[in-house]
Amino acid sequence: MLIKDIINALEEDAPLHYAEDFDNVGLLVGNKNTEVTSALITLDTTEDVVEEAIAKNCNLIISFHPIIFKGLKSLTGKNYVERTVLKAIKNDIAIYAIHTALDNYKKGVNAMLCDRLGLVNQRILIPQKQTIKKLTTFVPKAEVEQLRNALFSAGAGSIGNYNHCSFNVEGIGTFNPNEDANPTIGNIGETHYENETKIGITFPKHLENKVLETLFKSHSYEEVAYEVTTLENTNQNIGMGMIAEFETAMTEVDFLNHLKQKMKVSNIRHTQFLEKPIKKVAVLGGSGSFAIGAAKASGADAYVTADLKYHDFFQAENNILLADIGHYESEQYTKNGLVAILTKKIPNFAFVLSNTNTNPVKYF
């Protein structure tokens, strides 16, 4: 098993194309063609986590958060980032980070949080835009079924909960091959009229190369006429946060106690009680102040997130209960979810759950 095999399996579900622009995801240390002995799965990569990988004979660390976030101008060991990277390199341990690619995955961080809390009817809180593309091409009428099915097999033709979607218009295509052409239909120097079908078909942006390769391989023309455009549709399956529901509403006090129990937290920072039941809940693991507006617009009774500042709490404006459970606390079970994803995809390989508590925040 090579590092790239594990990466490919993970990115089938959470392609790095959907990570946020500010992020630093992917293979941060190491060579993708290295053979893996076993992989340690963690929330953060720290010096202690590298030590754990050494002790457990793991030469790959799969981390949620990236240890290298900003550019490194030196590697002298002057801070914890440089020391961690140096220790990994010295011990031939590769480091891979997935971060916001997993945040934006429909069954990723926030779905894991919803599952932990027992929330049902889950859907994306802030769907990502400009992730759906459309291919338009023209094919001889006799070949349209073959080409369309090939594009479907490549992953094109899906919108939301529908697949095999396309739009087809019949018409007449014309072309005149010059002396340098090698036409599969028609003759050099003669204008040819061909009964063609215009196919319009959507696909997720991370599949663009695969879809175009399939188009060129499956199309009979020497020169394939096509265009690719980006749609304005939001993507129901990719985006930040989740909105979901409890099967039975509970009081605000019961809700906060439920949060404490399920997330194993000792205290929760929250806004004032509104004396209304909690049924519809928005969640966003990690720093989520930017999504308060979206949580309110969704009609959520409560919003569970982390890293809210003093003035963020004012945004509740007496119509939603904001609950800050802590950054580490909101994402702590992500590593368990990663182990479950990878074990299902590659069942006969050793994925080791890290036992190191990497939470830098302590409570007195």
Side-chain angles (χ1 to χ4, degrees):
M1 180 74 64
L2 303 181
I3 289 176
K4 66 180 180 183
D5 298 323
I6 295 175
I7 291 174
N8 289 340
L10 194 53
E11 292 180 9
E12 280 180 355
D13 287 341
L16 300 189
H17 292 74
Y18 304 117
E20 298 297 314
D21 292 340
F22 64 79
D23 208 0
N24 187 35
V25 292
L27 188 62
L28 307 182
V29 175
N31 187 315
K32 65 181 181 180
N33 292 311
T34 299
E35 188 168 343
V36 185
T37 53
S38 58
L40 184 70
I41 317 299
T42 182
L43 186 67
D44 306 283
T45 302
T46 63
E47 292 177 83
D48 287 342
V49 170
V50 176
E51 288 287 358
E52 183 182 8
I54 295 168
K56 294 179 176 178
N57 195 32
C58 299
N59 66 338
L60 171 63
I61 295 173
I62 298 175
S63 178
F64 177 62
H65 292 129
I67 180 61
I68 303 172
F69 199 78
K70 299 178 180 178
L72 293 177
K73 294 185 177 180
S74 64
L75 274 175
T76 61
K78 63 180 177 291
N79 56 46
Y80 81 96
V81 173
E82 292 185 13
R83 289 193 297 273
T84 300
V85 173
L86 281 170
K87 182 169 288 189
I89 293 172
K90 182 178 180 180
N91 290 278
D92 294 322
I93 296 173
I95 302 173
Y96 175 89
I98 195 165
H99 203 205
T100 57
L102 193 66
D103 276 317
N104 281 318
Y105 173 43
K106 187 176 182 179
K107 296 181 181 179
V109 176
N110 297 297
M112 296 170 191
L113 183 50
C114 284
D115 291 343
R116 185 80 186 174
L117 296 177
L119 293 164
V120 297
N121 301 325
Q122 302 171 16
R123 62 187 187 278
I124 300 291
L125 178 64
I126 308 176
Q128 232 182 51
K129 297 180 179 179
Q130 297 188 321
T131 60
I132 302 175
K133 296 202 169 190
K134 178 184 175 183
L135 168 68
T136 302
T137 191
F138 308 84
V139 61
K141 188 175 178 181
E143 301 173 16
V144 64
E145 193 72 20
Q146 176 186 347
L147 177 61
R148 200 164 43 214
N149 287 334
L151 293 172
F152 289 154
S153 295
S158 296
I159 298 181
N161 296 319
Y162 297 84
N163 53 40
H164 285 207
C165 303
S166 69
F167 188 76
N168 307 270
V169 180
E170 293 184 4
I172 303 295
T174 67
F175 50 87
N176 189 322
N178 65 28
E179 62 275 9
D180 295 322
N182 183 26
T184 54
I185 300 175
N187 300 310
I188 291 175
E190 297 179 5
T191 299
H192 180 80
Y193 297 83
E194 181 68 28
N195 289 321
E196 292 183 332
T197 299
K198 176 183 177 181
I199 302 175
I201 189 167
T202 60
F203 61 90
K205 71 175 184 179
H206 73 280
L207 293 179
E208 182 166 353
N209 289 340
K210 183 178 181 181
V211 168
L212 291 180
E213 286 174 4
T214 300
L215 171 65
F216 301 143
K217 180 180 179 181
S218 304
H219 206 296
S220 64
Y221 284 176
E222 181 185 19
E223 293 287 347
V224 180
Y226 73 98
E227 65 176 332
V228 174
T229 54
T230 301
L231 302 185
E232 292 302 315
N233 300 57
T234 54
N235 197 324
Q236 301 175 42
N237 296 315
I238 299 170
M240 282 283 179
M242 281 277 175
I243 179 75
E245 299 175 346
F246 288 116
E247 291 185 352
T248 304
M250 59 182 73
T251 67
E252 291 162 311
V253 171
D254 288 342
F255 169 66
L256 293 181
N257 281 326
H258 181 73
L259 269 180
K260 278 188 172 184
Q261 178 190 1
K262 292 296 183 180
M263 302 308 296
K264 293 184 171 27
V265 296
S266 57
N267 57 72
I268 297 173
R269 298 163 65 227
H270 65 87
T271 51
Q272 67 181 2
F273 289 154
L274 303 175
E275 303 303 328
K276 68 177 186 178
I278 304 297
K279 182 172 177 63
K280 194 173 185 181
V281 180
V283 305
L284 197 154
S287 302
S289 61
F290 68 91
I292 293 175
K296 289 162 62 178
S298 72
D301 302 310
Y303 176 41
V304 180
T305 188
D307 295 345
L308 298 183
K309 296 181 180 179
Y310 176 81
H311 289 96
D312 293 329
F313 287 94
F314 285 111
Q315 294 183 51
E317 296 185 296
N318 295 322
N319 61 25
I320 192 171
L321 178 68
L322 301 181
D324 183 335
I325 63 174
H327 195 122
Y328 173 87
E329 289 80 2
S330 69
E331 297 175 335
Q332 61 183 301
Y333 297 108
T334 300
K335 61 183 181 181
N336 303 70
L338 279 169
V339 170
I341 290 171
L342 286 166
T343 301
K344 184 176 180 180
K345 285 181 168 291
I346 311 174
N348 298 316
F349 188 80
F351 293 105
V352 181
L353 182 66
S354 173
N355 294 322
T356 304
N357 185 328
T358 59
N359 191 359
V361 181
K362 308 300 177 186
Y363 299 94
F364 182 72

